[in-house]
Amino acid sequence: MKGRNSLSGPLADPAGDAGYTVDHPDRVGFFTDTSVCIGCKACEVACKTWNAVPEDGLDLLGMSFDNTGSLGANSWRHVAFIEQPRSTGRQDPGLAGLPTGASGSGLSAEAVEPMLRHAPRGGGELGTQALPTAQETATRVSPVENLGMPAFTRPGDGHGEEGRTSFRWLMASDVCKHCTHAACLDVCPTGALFRTEFSTVVVQQDICNGCGYCVSACPYGVIDRRPHDGRAQKCTLCYDRLHDGMEPACAQACPTQSIQFGKLDELRERADQRLAQLQDLGVTEARLYGRDPDDGVGGDGAFFLLLDEPEVYGLPPDPVVVTRDAKAMWKKVGQAAAAFALAGIGAFVSTAVGGRR
Amino acid sequence: MNDRNGHSPLRAHEGAGEGAQAHEAPMFQGIQGGRPVAEGAGHQDRRRRSGKRGRGEQTMVPDAEFRSYYGRPVLKPPVWKHEIPAYLFTGGLAAGTAVVAAGADLTGRPALRRVSWLGSFAGLLASLWFLVSDLGRPERFHHMLRVVKPTSPMSVGTWILTAFGPGVGAAAVNELVPQRWRHTWPARLLNRLARPLGLSAAAIAPGVASYTAVLLSHTAVPGWNEVRDELPFVFTGSAAASGGGFGMVFAPVEENGPARAFAAVGAAQELVASRVMEHKMGLIREAYEHGHVARFGRGAEWLTIAGLAGTVLLAGRSRAGAAASGLALLAGSACQRFRVYEAGVETTKDPKYVVVPQRERLNARTP
């Protein structure tokens, strides 16, 4: 709340803006290079282990290898899996000439998808708790779906080479973005959410009273309230480990350095180099997400290299921190309040003037 | 229809083509240039269940395609339950009745003053109950009082309610003191303080009635955020209608003239602001116009129209007419709150409300 751009726009030093003295540590973050992610989920496991994050419900979502579903109160890292009928750059998927047909994951996804839509939070509970079963939701979703399995033919036996498409898997480990302008932090009415000296955003569990405002404020759908516990939960960027000079658990566990931890300035430089390298290799669809300090949230502390549009990974294409419009909103509220007061005064005055009781 | 459906190409998208596509190529998510197919089929089904609007409408508009991650929500749907829209109503009621009560106090209308302070107090107590019980950790409600945070509408609202509450409480308790205790010194002290405290509460009441609009709009929820310019006027109109309506139900006709005027102005403002809001909606209109949200919307509109008509035509002549009109206004106000609340929740469950407008914004920026 100190200087210019405290509420939106580019801001070089969020910790300084939050009131830390000049000798605070440099801003740190994650650069998640999804082009080298192999979908091993070691990050999910390491995060859960280190932070003692409880089980998020055992679901078989039937849509891909992603059975976590999304980030949530009980999933602070989430690996997305996307199948696409194309290759990445000049990469050869090694499938040419094989009579293999399409995968069946679309079919199973179709069978499972109604469960998502009938869930109380429309699938938003993924990452926090298990989806209710068909009986619990009392829907008309058929409990039995024919997925064409088991079958005695090999996959693709019915197809020739002409049915063949190219193929790639996109995998991406999602995490809290630790925004430069964090809506969750700004709207928190208890001060439980705070900006650390590393410019990350952390919930103080002894303060949070579970009002849920941060859940609706986050433009990325990251933070959520933990059922039975009642408090808001999200990635802390391993605040405890940072104090001991260690890197966060997920980054340490990542076997391919898809998750890179470091000073944000260095990470941004590294990301720019990696992007240029990929584009030289013909991967023109590569792009950085959350890297730009001029974007709607002032840039992310955790940003990504993606191989397709953000929404394909479940990320909002152009998120904006709501505090950008706070002033305009309060102005309208002021006008409405004034109109309300005038109506009240006018009601009594007009009645008096009109001579009625 | 065209102006009412700024984004209806999505609706047009559910023609036969999509279904056919779903069977030809069911295997891939996020196919270049198209929506994830399995997800698209699901949406077709959804629209059919909820839609009074036909399929294949607006075929002149090119298909707006949007892509998502298996159709899963981008945002987290609110963890709030029905307590929050209920609070929006009771908070508005407390504010509206406080204004009426203070005016009645100053203009010598004892019956209207009495019922309105009691109504305000009841609304306030209900509000506090709803707000605290909806917390994940209700026993920590007082943590709201450890900071003053202008960036958080909830913190601002907490302090508005904290300033509003004692005055309403004092004025209402003063009304409740039994005759035989009236001469005791605490009762006399209270009686002396009741008016200034009550007036101070009435001065804060406009804040109580209006801040809830920014409370909802100050979120990433498209159905609340995108109506941020109109919602304050809808909510304060609704609060005035319910506050005046309450006086019409419980106070005698000869005293409730100002309550009728306040209610009529509030109801008219709510109706107009609500229409303007609907007119300016983009894609979120779909959430407002379908299913249970639409039923709340129709309820709010018709009850408020009926209540307004009754207030103007009947309420000055008969007690029964005034009571019926007041009840209609109260019910209309409650419907309005639930409608806006539920519409917002719906827009978080479907990724299209997030992805489509943001994608359009991006495309407009980078030609």
Side-chain angles (χ1 to χ4, degrees):
Chain A
M1 274 312 289
K2 279 170 50 180
R4 263 177 68 241
N5 287 356
S6 278
L7 295 178
S8 63
L11 183 66
D13 180 15
D17 186 66
Y20 290 96
T21 51
V22 281
D23 56 346
H24 68 77
D26 288 327
R27 184 175 186 184
V28 297
F30 288 126
F31 166 46
T32 306
D33 178 357
T34 71
S35 67
V36 292
C37 179
I38 56 170
C40 69
K41 302 190 198 177
C43 49
E44 286 191 22
V45 175
C47 174
K48 283 217 168 199
T49 310
W50 180 263
N51 293 298
V53 178
E55 183 223 317
D56 52 287
L58 295 173
D59 277 316
L60 283 174
L61 298 178
M63 295 175 169
S64 68
F65 285 117
D66 168 16
N67 290 308
T68 306
S70 71
L71 291 174
N74 296 333
S75 306
W76 298 354
R77 272 274 178 193
H78 160 240
V79 181
F81 288 73
I82 300 125
E83 294 180 17
Q84 292 186 331
R86 54 171 296 187
S87 58
T88 295
R90 292 186 285 271
Q91 212 172 50
D92 177 9
L95 299 173
L98 296 175
T100 316
S103 96
S105 68
L107 201 62
S108 55
E110 242 180 290
V112 179
E113 208 228 333
M115 292 292 295
L116 280 186
R117 278 185 291 107
H118 287 98
R121 296 177 72 198
E125 47 272 88
L126 289 173
T128 298
Q129 60 190 127
L131 292 173
T133 61
Q135 288 86 346
E136 280 165 6
T137 51
T139 59
R140 289 180 299 279
V141 178
S142 164
V144 182
E145 285 289 339
N146 183 6
L147 298 180
M149 295 182 288
F152 294 101
T153 52
R154 291 168 302 170
D157 269 0
H159 302 264
E161 277 180 49
E162 69 281 0
R164 171 112 294 282
T165 60
S166 192
F167 178 81
R168 70 170 178 175
W169 253 345
L170 301 181
M171 288 155 285
S173 179
D174 195 8
V175 69
C176 170
K177 316 299 178 292
H178 295 277
C179 309
T180 300
H181 298 290
C184 59
L185 188 163
D186 284 333
V187 304
C188 175
T190 63
L193 274 149
F194 76 110
R195 179 79 59 184
T196 72
E197 64 271 37
F198 304 100
S199 293
T200 57
V201 180
V202 176
V203 190
Q204 300 176 82
Q205 291 300 326
D206 53 340
I207 302 295
C208 177
N209 67 5
C211 74
Y213 206 12
C214 51
V215 177
S216 294
C218 174
Y220 296 98
V222 169
I223 194 165
D224 203 1
R225 201 161 76 181
R226 184 175 289 167
H228 310 301
D229 172 278
R231 293 173 297 185
Q233 308 275 349
K234 74 167 191 72
C235 162
T236 67
L237 217 137
C238 285
Y239 190 38
D240 50 348
R241 293 169 67 98
L242 296 189
H243 280 134
D244 289 336
M246 298 165 75
E247 64 178 335
C250 55
Q252 184 159 1
C254 181
T256 64
Q257 292 189 350
S258 170
I259 301 173
Q260 301 176 26
F261 167 79
K263 293 180 181 172
L264 193 61
D265 291 340
E266 291 170 14
L267 290 178
R268 282 175 172 165
E269 215 171 292
R270 210 184 296 168
D272 292 340
Q273 285 170 11
R274 175 64 178 159
L275 180 67
Q277 182 190 23
L278 280 173
Q279 281 177 340
D280 279 351
L281 289 168
V283 190
T284 51
E285 70 272 25
R287 71 203 72 198
L288 296 179
Y289 177 80
R291 149 83 176 80
D292 182 6
D294 292 314
D295 71 13
V297 298
D300 291 327
F303 65 103
F304 301 81
L305 186 148
L306 303 178
L307 295 178
D308 205 335
E309 287 169 340
E311 55 264 41
V312 172
Y313 296 86
L315 297 164
D318 184 31
V320 171
V321 63
V322 69
T323 46
R324 188 194 65 181
D325 301 319
K327 218 173 176 178
M329 281 191 262
W330 282 110
K331 211 169 150 188
K332 289 281 176 191
V333 162
Q335 291 169 2
F340 180 82
L342 275 178
I345 295 167
F348 283 92
V349 171
S350 67
T351 316
V353 171
R356 291 177 289 151
R357 271 195 66 89
Chain B
M1 258 348 219
N2 231 322
D3 61 323
R4 293 173 54 80
N5 285 299
H7 297 272
S8 61
L10 275 174
R11 218 172 276 129
H13 192 57
E14 5 162 305
E18 190 180 358
Q21 192 192 7
H23 290 292
E24 275 162 29
M27 71 292 306
F28 293 114
Q29 284 295 327
I31 292 172
Q32 192 71 28
R35 295 172 59 182
V37 174
E39 196 267 322
H43 273 271
Q44 188 180 10
D45 176 50
R46 177 192 305 210
R47 212 73 26 82
R48 198 159 47 223
R49 268 188 296 115
S50 59
K52 55 173 180 167
R53 283 167 191 285
R55 309 206 272 143
E57 195 184 350
Q58 301 259 330
T59 42
M60 300 303 288
V61 187
D63 282 2
E65 293 152 344
F66 89 98
R67 309 168 74 191
S68 75
Y69 185 62
Y70 300 92
R72 287 177 203 164
V74 172
L75 302 174
K76 284 287 174 206
V79 289
W80 297 334
K81 297 183 294 293
H82 67 270
E83 280 91 344
I84 296 305
Y87 157 67
L88 297 176
F89 169 68
T90 57
L93 177 66
T97 45
V99 168
V100 174
D105 189 13
L106 291 177
T107 58
R109 292 178 167 86
L112 182 62
R113 183 199 71 209
R114 183 179 161 83
V115 298
S116 294
W117 278 133
L118 294 180
S120 186
F121 195 43
L124 178 70
L125 291 179
S127 299
L128 297 180
W129 168 259
F130 287 137
L131 287 175
V132 171
S133 64
D134 199 58
L135 295 175
R137 289 281 179 105
E139 77 280 7
R140 289 184 174 183
F141 76 94
H142 61 279
H143 288 197
M144 299 276 188
L145 302 172
R146 64 186 284 281
V147 287
V148 180
K149 217 168 145 182
T151 59
S152 169
M154 195 181 280
S155 177
V156 173
T158 300
W159 290 106
I160 289 177
L161 284 177
T162 306
F164 176 71
V168 172
V173 171
N174 183 48
E175 302 290 345
L176 290 173
V177 175
Q179 195 59 49
R180 65 177 183 282
W181 291 349
R182 288 249 170 215
H183 64 280
T184 60
W185 71 263
R188 274 183 288 141
L189 178 68
L190 181 63
N191 193 35
R192 190 164 302 170
L193 289 176
R195 177 175 281 184
L197 285 175
L199 288 178
S200 75
I204 297 160
V208 177
S210 58
Y211 98 87
T212 47
V214 80
L215 181 75
L216 292 192
S217 290
H218 201 277
T219 59
V221 177
W224 298 338
N225 183 262
E226 286 172 27
V227 295
R228 55 184 177 263
D229 286 345
E230 299 84 27
L231 202 54
F233 298 95
V234 175
F235 276 12
T236 52
S238 172
S242 66
F246 190 88
M248 287 158 58
V249 175
F250 292 102
V253 174
E254 54 277 17
E255 279 196 16
N256 69 12
R260 296 198 300 270
F262 191 45
V265 171
Q269 179 187 318
E270 181 190 339
L271 287 169
V272 172
S274 181
R275 274 294 163 93
V276 173
M277 179 173 87
E278 286 155 23
H279 183 73
K280 285 165 78 175
M281 278 178 198
L283 185 59
I284 58 166
R285 177 195 314 281
E286 250 180 75
Y288 275 86
E289 287 185 352
H290 278 113
H292 66 300
V293 182
R295 281 196 293 280
F296 278 129
R298 282 195 298 275
E301 185 165 4
W302 285 112
L303 285 164
T304 306
I305 288 175
L308 176 60
T311 305
V312 174
L313 301 173
L314 296 175
R317 282 182 239 150
S318 87
R319 179 74 197 262
S325 308
L327 282 176
L329 289 175
L330 285 164
S333 172
C335 282
Q336 182 70 267
R337 310 307 179 115
F338 276 86
R339 167 223 198 185
V340 172
Y341 176 81
E342 293 288 338
V345 172
E346 288 306 309
T347 59
T348 58
K349 290 182 182 173
D350 192 327
K352 78 177 171 206
Y353 297 111
V354 177
V355 173
V356 173
Q358 293 192 12
R359 179 51 61 191
E360 280 175 1
R361 207 156 67 202
L362 269 185
N363 292 346
R365 257 203 320 262
T366 48

